[in-house]
Amino acid sequence: MAIAARDFRELRLDGMSRNFGAVNALKGVTLNVKRGEFIALLGPSGCGKSTALNCLAGLLTLSGGSIWLDKTRIDRLAPEDRGFGMVFQNYALFPHMSVRRNIGFGLGMQGIAKEAIKRKVDEALAIVRLGDQGEKLPGQLSGGQQQRVAIARAIVIEPPLVLMDEPLSNLDAKLRLEMRAEIRRIHELIGSATIYVTHDQEEALSLADRIVVMRAGEVRQVGTPEDLYARPAHPDVAEFMGYRNQIRTRAIRSGNLLNVSVGGVSLQGTAVDSITDGEVVATIRPDDLKVADAGPISVAVESAQYHGRDFYCFGRAADGTELYFLSERKVRKGDNVRLGADASRVLVYSRAGS
């Protein structure tokens, strides 16, 4: 395929800030993105990830900081002069235009000749595997097909950067899985950088080269999916990466490990930051809290949901601690089970560092 991202070496966000009146929606976000990288902005609603994307796109002006594409400062440029592709959550297709005209709209606005537009649109349709759908209207397509059209429209202008704002949130579970693979395939095919906003940690883990976890307008951690999955730097990052059990407790050092109280009994855990003794937050993923006959924690099951191979369960320990865990064997509400966790999977953070 002839469609390929325009060449650049690095996108640089340098202290990017955005205020809405007295509200600091973005607080000095700094990040370098290399050509060909797939970056996921991950965080809960209101954390600033969509604001960051809109600032990059030029839909919002900065209150402070700057954005650079190589040696060119671009935050002062109009959106159309930045040359970025944008994929919106609601597709934003023109309902009265054919698929082909939707995809070629941006090229037409650039004054490109009709023959060149036709050739590029054909290439984009082939990339998103919609070669036989070009004359249809968007309303005649499925949700997944409409999303492919939106992606084709974003890439046909051969952008150095593609911006995606929760593009899969309106699709069903099966289509989301299919489109994840398609988005990654297209990203690798055209060679652009992609910045992808999501609140879904599974999406971020499966798609991104690096994940940027945000909270309250700030970057909390940047790392590979493997880094963030295994070693979140803060308890709030751990919670967003699936460490749903967050127990405020006390720790006593025991050699290289820590003894922490969970559910009224002692477990060994691994310190993430510099901890001696004192107030801590112990975090455990539900799938790392195992049902075991000799497990030290006794829990009364309050709910159990069948998820295929496993049961996703919620229970309460004798001291009232609420715990989420997975069980490979069938459990029901009212059952009593015993739980345990390997010390390497109980991550312990000082409260001061949280």
Side-chain angles (χ1 to χ4, degrees):
M1 295 298 171
I3 288 178
R6 290 202 302 278
D7 194 29
F8 79 102
R9 297 185 66 182
E10 184 177 70
L11 173 78
R12 188 170 80 252
L13 315 184
D14 190 0
M16 187 171 71
S17 300
R18 171 68 193 191
N19 302 330
F20 294 96
V23 177
N24 305 122
L26 284 181
K27 304 171 185 175
V29 172
T30 295
L31 181 70
N32 290 0
V33 180
K34 303 292 185 184
R35 174 184 166 89
E37 267 199 299
F38 197 118
I39 302 293
L41 302 184
L42 176 67
S45 297
C47 73
K49 56 189 187 294
S50 290
T51 300
L53 203 74
N54 287 327
C55 287
L56 272 169
L59 303 178
L60 290 173
T61 57
L62 298 188
S63 302
S66 56
I67 306 172
W68 299 79
L69 194 63
D70 291 333
K71 295 181 180 180
T72 302
R73 183 170 179 176
I74 64 170
D75 57 278
R76 295 167 177 167
L77 298 179
E80 61 272 19
D81 294 330
R82 302 185 188 194
F84 297 162
M86 186 89 180
V87 181
F88 297 94
Q89 182 176 344
N90 62 355
Y91 317 138
L93 301 176
F94 298 112
H96 62 289
M97 289 186 183
S98 69
V99 165
R100 178 174 291 279
R101 289 181 62 202
N102 265 283
I103 294 171
F105 182 81
L107 296 173
M109 295 296 288
Q110 294 175 8
I112 293 174
K114 287 184 178 180
E115 282 304 312
I117 291 176
K118 181 181 184 305
R119 186 181 71 253
K120 287 183 178 293
V121 169
D122 285 342
E123 291 167 2
L125 281 167
I127 287 172
V128 300
R129 299 173 177 170
L130 289 176
D132 58 347
Q133 306 293 318
E135 304 309 320
K136 291 185 177 180
L137 295 174
Q140 296 174 297
L141 303 179
S142 68
Q145 289 174 322
Q146 289 183 51
Q147 191 57 275
R148 289 170 189 261
V149 176
I151 293 170
R153 182 181 59 189
I155 66 172
V156 77
I157 61 172
E158 299 184 304
L161 182 68
V162 176
L163 307 173
M164 296 191 173
D165 192 3
E166 304 211 43
L168 306 184
S169 60
N170 291 332
L171 303 181
D172 63 37
K174 180 176 179 292
L175 271 177
R176 282 201 301 274
L177 287 173
E178 291 175 2
M179 286 305 300
R180 275 188 214 168
E182 281 297 282
I183 286 171
R184 184 70 207 198
R185 178 186 67 83
I186 293 166
H187 163 82
E188 292 174 351
L189 186 64
I190 68 172
S192 66
T194 299
I195 297 183
Y196 184 102
V197 164
T198 182
H199 63 273
D200 186 327
Q201 54 122 335
E202 286 189 14
E203 265 183 30
L205 289 169
S206 65
L207 282 169
D209 298 311
R210 286 190 297 153
I211 299 172
V212 180
V213 180
M214 299 183 66
R215 184 185 74 171
E218 297 179 324
V219 173
R220 294 292 281 166
Q221 187 175 355
V222 182
T224 66
E226 294 84 358
D227 290 339
L228 268 71
Y229 186 89
R231 200 78 169 177
H234 308 281
D236 57 286
V237 176
E239 184 175 23
F240 215 80
M241 295 307 296
Y243 289 77
R244 191 168 184 185
N245 296 300
Q246 301 249 330
I247 302 104
R248 299 174 72 86
T249 183
R250 292 189 61 83
I252 300 173
R253 181 158 289 281
S254 175
N256 294 326
L257 299 174
L258 296 168
N259 287 329
V260 292
S261 177
V262 176
V265 301
S266 181
L267 284 185
Q268 287 197 313
T270 301
V272 175
D273 44 16
S274 179
I275 301 173
T276 52
D277 297 347
E279 302 293 318
V280 297
V281 180
T283 69
I284 315 171
R285 288 179 178 277
D287 46 334
D288 289 328
L289 196 55
K290 305 290 188 182
V291 175
D293 292 337
I297 308 170
S298 177
V299 168
V301 178
E302 296 192 4
S303 72
Q305 302 169 12
Y306 182 55
H307 283 195
R309 291 183 304 174
D310 304 305
F311 290 83
Y312 188 89
C313 307
F314 167 76
R316 200 176 299 272
D319 68 347
T321 301
E322 299 176 348
L323 293 171
Y324 297 88
F325 62 97
L326 261 60
S327 175
E328 294 180 354
R329 64 194 191 204
K330 187 173 184 177
V331 294
R332 298 183 178 87
K333 180 180 179 180
D335 287 351
N336 285 287
V337 297
R338 303 196 72 85
L339 306 175
D342 188 270
S344 65
R345 306 308 306 145
V346 180
L347 302 186
V348 185
Y349 303 82
S350 66
R351 292 197 200 175
S354 64

